Amino acid sequence: MARSLNTPHSSKPPVSKASAPPKPRHVPTEGAQMAAAAALSRVDQQPKLRPPSSQQAIRNQVKRELLAEAAAVVDLKQDGSSEAQPSGSKVPLRRTSRPLSVSGVYFTCPLTGATLTKGEPEAHIKEAILMKFAEDPVEASVMMVHTFNKDREKVKAATEVIAKYIDNICKNPTEEKYRKIRLQNKIFQERVSCLEGTQEFLQSIGFVNQRLPVPGQEDCEDVLVLSEEAVSRLQALQESRDRLLGAEPLKARLHRQSQVYKPSPQASRFELPPDFYSLTAEELKREQQLRSDAVERNAMLRTKAMRERDEQREMRKYNYTLLRIRLPDGNLLQGTFFARERVSVLYEFVRDSLLNGWQPFLLIAPGSQRLTDESLAFNECGLVPAALLTLSWDAAVQADIEAAGAQNADVLKPELMRSIQTLS
């Protein structure tokens, strides 16, 4: 975090000490001389303090940091928050009166378009999927299979078995045995019925529950049977099969919270909410213990590769990052991103915000780092949990635009500029 240094200035020239008349020196009294001698004697009798060694200095520094982090955890718990700032943060989360750079992390439901806080998406999306059954039961059940079940390998196995059922029916539409699924079948129980949404999908494409006699026995069993109407619509069955195999889990989209600010000397200062950090209070305690155990290791000489590995581990503590881009006109464009998103996402975000999105540009990170490799993640570039970048136009293209007199004073789209604010 940037720190502003205020150096006092005076409008009056300094007065030379040599020009001032010397003051008469007062000789100390006998009593003052005796008191000074006694004080010197006491000082001489005190044990001399040894200067701390490098390891002692490291221990003292770690102790101070751990105490500060522990105090932060207590403050956040008292404030009702379940998350705390991780150790080693480059952007300290401090309890100050300054407003937050962003109020929190928000998501958008792809079904309803609702804006959700960090803990709301999963429950909201499940409810939205269930509500969609009245509109499109096939699509709703497909989303249910892929979204409600977290084990992707089990989902893959279940959908492949169901696809095989449909393939057999389409290849042999007159064969009655392919139109029946025994609920007690071992493969069906182990791979299909154990997952949420699978039976809803089978029912949505035309399977109905029936209790039929077991061949050669007096007992009956529960069976899913494809209706005659569904058999007559084989093309629809195949389309439902393709939808099931090609679907992905439904996820809430991270809300970018795009915001434009006027030029400000505070551009590199950030105040982030707890939502930006992935460590809970308990995880922070474990992290503190790990740091304490690493004191001796930190005292040793370490290679560049070792330091880089530690830095990468540090970056993984953050789930999100707040990025600001200083534009050529001085204005600031701000957005929220996942820490593991690629640099290409940032380029797309900026390009979509520009009035002339076709004009080539380069983004420059702190330390004059040119972001040319768009496949890197933000946490791999050191751009978490917050960073200020600079947009630089392609010099040759910009020169041609200026020579043609086609330079536009505005850089961003009008809809963004209408909501421009002053950075506090």
Side-chain angles (χ1 to χ4, degrees), residues 337-358:
F337 301 85
F338 285 110
R340 293 173 180 81
E341 284 189 275
R342 304 294 173 185
V343 171
S344 58
V345 175
L346 179 60
Y347 271 92
E348 182 181 356
F349 169 75
V350 174
R351 194 172 291 113
D352 290 343
S353 303
L354 295 175
L355 183 62
N356 296 322
W358 58 266

Side-chain angles (χ1 to χ4, degrees), residues 153-165 168 180-195 198-199 202 224:
E153 289 300 319
K154 290 185 177 180
V155 170
K156 183 175 183 293
T159 55
E160 288 176 349
V161 171
I162 295 175
K164 187 65 175 177
Y165 292 154
N168 288 336
K180 296 179 181 178
I181 302 173
R182 296 175 52 246
L183 298 186
Q184 299 302 316
N185 178 272
K186 183 179 180 181
I187 292 179
F188 180 78
Q189 287 188 335
E190 292 180 351
R191 299 186 186 179
V192 179
S193 64
C194 59
L195 269 65
T198 52
Q199 295 202 47
L202 291 171
L224 286 173

Side-chain angles (χ1 to χ4, degrees), residues 7-15:
T7 305
H9 296 279
S10 175
S11 59
K12 296 181 180 181
V15 178

